[in-house]
Amino acid sequence: MNKSDLELMVGDQEQILWRGRPDFKCFLLESIFNSMLPVAVIWALVDSSMIGTIRMASAGAMSGGFGMAFLGFFLLHLMPVWLYVGGVLFSILKYKHTEFIITDKGVYISGGMFTYNYEMKPFTDLSHINIHRGIFDQMLGVGDVIMVCGHTTYNMDTRNGHSNHDHEGFKIYDIPEYQKVFSMLKKLQTDIYADTMYPNDMRPQDNHGYQTQYRGMDQNR
């Protein structure tokens, strides 16, 4: 089985603990019900009404050059509608390129439509881990795991029931195993932070590495 482009970014010394992709139904619904939908619907209704009125008023003059000019004008005037429809259709490309991988060192995420984005965050960069479930997430039994880096500010901006963290957060979204992924990330982030603050050599032998919890400074003396 050929490795994906995102998997090829994983280092030879890293162990993949989990990998997944968004739920397609939820991904598609969130692509359809976005902030452009009301604009596209209202624009289409207004233009449809105008087209009907003009055609009734000039029924005998809709052929030839006038008819072509009339059609061309409204095709151009409906541009917001075409942009919305194109965005929904092209979201399928974005879904195809979206993948999530968690290793014992950090989190890898890929995405994009025409240009591909590959990003990795080590656990030492993560300061907060949260779960967000929008309307469609709850309907379909999926959720988002939001990871916030220590050097960024976390802002919750919900649009149509879905959080937007394109710059402030790092997210694994629309996944059925959101609780499992949250627990895994929380444990890894906590254990690795403890190992950073309290190196292995300062610990008792039965509390060495990421497999167990740190037991406090008093027991290390």
Side-chain angles (χ1 to χ4, degrees):
M1 182 177 178
N2 293 330
K3 292 184 177 181
S4 65
D5 290 343
L6 186 64
E7 189 175 353
L8 291 173
M9 293 180 61
V10 177
D12 294 335
Q13 303 302 316
E14 293 181 70
Q15 179 185 359
I16 295 179
L17 305 177
W18 180 88
R19 64 187 305 171
R21 300 180 68 186
D23 177 80
F24 180 72
K25 291 181 181 178
C26 189
F27 188 92
L28 185 60
L29 283 172
E30 289 171 348
S31 298
I32 293 172
F33 293 92
N34 60 43
S35 57
M36 277 292 294
L37 177 59
V39 176
V41 170
I42 293 172
W43 205 283
L45 290 174
V46 171
D47 274 20
S48 297
S49 177
M50 291 175 61
I51 290 171
T53 302
I54 294 173
R55 289 190 63 181
M56 290 179 61
S58 55
M62 293 301 294
S63 60
F66 178 79
M68 293 298 294
F70 174 82
L71 178 62
F73 171 78
F74 275 102
L75 285 176
L76 184 62
H77 197 261
L78 284 166
M79 187 59 67
V81 179
W82 308 138
L83 289 174
Y84 166 76
V85 173
V88 173
L89 294 176
F90 284 125
S91 67
I92 297 175
L93 285 177
K94 182 179 180 181
Y95 175 82
K96 181 181 177 181
H97 301 144
T98 301
E99 185 181 6
F100 315 118
I101 291 178
I102 299 174
T103 74
D104 55 349
K105 296 293 190 296
V107 182
Y108 294 76
I109 295 179
S110 67
M113 286 188 284
F114 300 106
T115 58
Y116 305 159
N117 302 312
Y118 304 96
E119 191 171 1
M120 184 269 187
K121 295 287 186 185
F123 290 114
T124 51
D125 278 3
L126 305 183
S127 60
H128 299 83
I129 303 171
N130 307 285
I131 288 178
H132 175 264
R133 301 188 71 203
I135 296 173
F136 297 123
D137 294 325
Q138 296 175 54
M139 289 172 54
L140 298 172
V142 300
D144 309 334
V145 180
I146 313 298
M147 296 156 283
V148 184
C149 298
H151 57 275
T152 60
T153 302
Y154 180 69
N155 294 319
M156 175 67 77
D157 176 20
T158 57
R159 299 178 183 177
N160 297 297
H162 195 278
S163 58
N164 181 27
H165 305 274
D166 290 338
H167 300 289
E168 290 77 16
F170 195 59
K171 57 185 177 180
I172 297 176
Y173 54 91
D174 299 342
I175 56 169
E177 298 179 297
Y178 63 94
Q179 292 177 324
K180 172 185 175 181
V181 169
F182 173 81
S183 298
M184 180 187 301
L185 290 173
K186 180 181 177 182
K187 183 180 188 308
L188 287 165
Q189 192 269 346
T190 302
D191 288 351
I192 291 176
Y193 177 79
D195 271 10
T196 302
M197 299 300 295
Y198 307 101
N200 288 334
D201 290 342
M202 295 175 61
R203 300 180 177 206
Q205 189 60 38
D206 62 348
N207 193 31
H208 202 77
Y210 303 155
Q211 301 303 315
T212 56
Q213 297 180 356
Y214 178 66
R215 299 186 181 181
M217 288 293 294
D218 291 341
Q219 296 189 28
N220 288 336
R221 294 175 180 174

